[in-house]
Amino acid sequence: MRSGSYGDWPVGCRPANRFRAGPGFRGFRYDNSLRVVFAAESVQRPARKIKPAQRGDWVDLMKLIDSEKDAVSGKWVMKNGELYSDDGGGSKIQIPYQPPLEYDYVVEFTKTMGNEAIVLLLSRKGVQFIWLMGGYGNTLGGFGMISGRDIAENPTRTKLPLQSGRKYRCLVQVRAKGVKAFLDDKLIVEYETDFKDIGPHGAWSMNSAKLIGLGTWGSPTVFHSIKLHEVSGKAKAGKDGEEKKGEMSLDLGNEVKMKLVQISAGKFTMGSPETEKDRGKDEVQHEVTISKPFYMGVTHVTVDQFAAFVKDSGYKTDAEKDGWSFGFEIKDGTIAAKKMDGCSWRNPSFDQKGDHPVVQVSWNDAKAFCDWLSKKSGKTVQLPTESQWEYACRAGTKTAYPWGDDPDKGKGWANCADQSLKKKIPNETIITYFFRWDDGFVLTSPVGSFKANAFGLYDMIGNAWEWCSDRYGDYDKGAGTGAGFVLRGGCWDGNPQGCRSARRGVGTPGRRCFDFGFRVSVDSK
Ligand SMILES: [Ca+2]
């Protein structure tokens, strides 16, 4: 066992010793006590600030490392544009990794002395499988440090002598079908594997699962360049709060994020034509101009996201303050909705997981969430206006539903009152008719389970009603002045009438229910 800095080094590097055990070596298992060391260290580290690569661009990580010291741990010195490790037992750099994107990683380096390793670690199913430039006894190669039988197939391995003082260029290609590593254009390791299974190794992802580690072990090394290049895949949002390529990611703390997408300014016809089946009289058509682009949450606010808010702020929802909310039980083949003591977003009267839309939230609660997130993010986070909501829901469509005018063609688009719900409540009389398809969910569903609309937004129809910032009122009388606020989008128990794009709902600000949720919008600068 080594001294303090050893704990800074991934346990996965220890096999340098055990590798000597001979050809029968099949791997190693992590020591729980050392994993605890990692967990403790991770708490003390500052948040990551490294920007991910953009598609088609090469990103010089050396520059980032130079400007953002927390990208590095161990003994590193930046001199004249080169990064020196004065390695006494392990030093590392964390670099972005955003599966399922395809990347090239290029590292140019010179090992100056010593006989151990330079490594770049990835894993498959949480098991380390690449020791990119592993070395013992001046050997350089792609060692499969296989500690899980599921990846014990024989990879291509080539060992090369690693000479001190010589410059090497290493390229790692992460692709959908596997990983290849080249040293000076020579293939040194190749794995065919499921793209989805490739990721950072746990020991290296101390701050984020989106980072992998590059480091040295036992050998002072000079890194001349470290670059990465996104080869394909959709560009992702940049660092927290950064507005880039039409996306935004907000940090809610405790590793909880919220993704938003930019919606362009434009004009649309709000409301429904008089010919639309089941339309409401309050859906009078009128032209609306959305004068400025804005960001919209790609999904409802989830239970996990709401929990991050409550944890940070200590906020108590209206239902919690009052000690009751509107819950339901499925009884005698119907939904029996009623006031229930102790019912709230924590106990909505049915089972929900963290990725389901939070429900049992009032307009007041949703507004409090937005105010909190505004303060936390420095952005203007709010509930969408009713116009913004319908513009975003329609995403260019003029039909009754995002998928067209025929409710029967909506399978795969939304979680509504479908046949799976009907089977549970065959005697229901309030929900007068159901969608004819089966969406697979009786109650709420994980957000983003269905098709996104043309703006990249999920569940604009169905799952849970969404609060808007506007008071309800007649369209032709300007801003609403009524006591209630607008709810849009229908819900898991919404029938084909209630789940139309133009459908308007309303609730008083303290009202909460088992199918009331929300999503947020953010002003564009
Ligand atoms: Ca359903």
Side-chain angles (χ1 to χ4, degrees), residues 482-499:
F485 285 88
V486 174
L487 285 153
R488 299 298 297 259
C491 56
W492 59 265
D493 57 321
N495 68 14
Q497 179 188 20
C499 290

Side-chain angles (χ1 to χ4, degrees), residues 415-418 420-421 439 441-443 492:
N415 173 17
C416 304
D418 67 319
S420 59
L421 177 61
D439 60 42
F441 295 95
V442 177
L443 309 170
W492 59 265

Side-chain angles (χ1 to χ4, degrees), residues 60-78:
D60 187 346
L61 292 163
M62 303 283 278
K63 288 181 183 155
L64 296 176
I65 290 161
D66 195 23
S67 62
E68 301 183 34
K69 301 297 185 192
D70 67 335
V72 203
S73 68
K75 297 175 183 175
W76 297 92
V77 179
M78 197 82 184

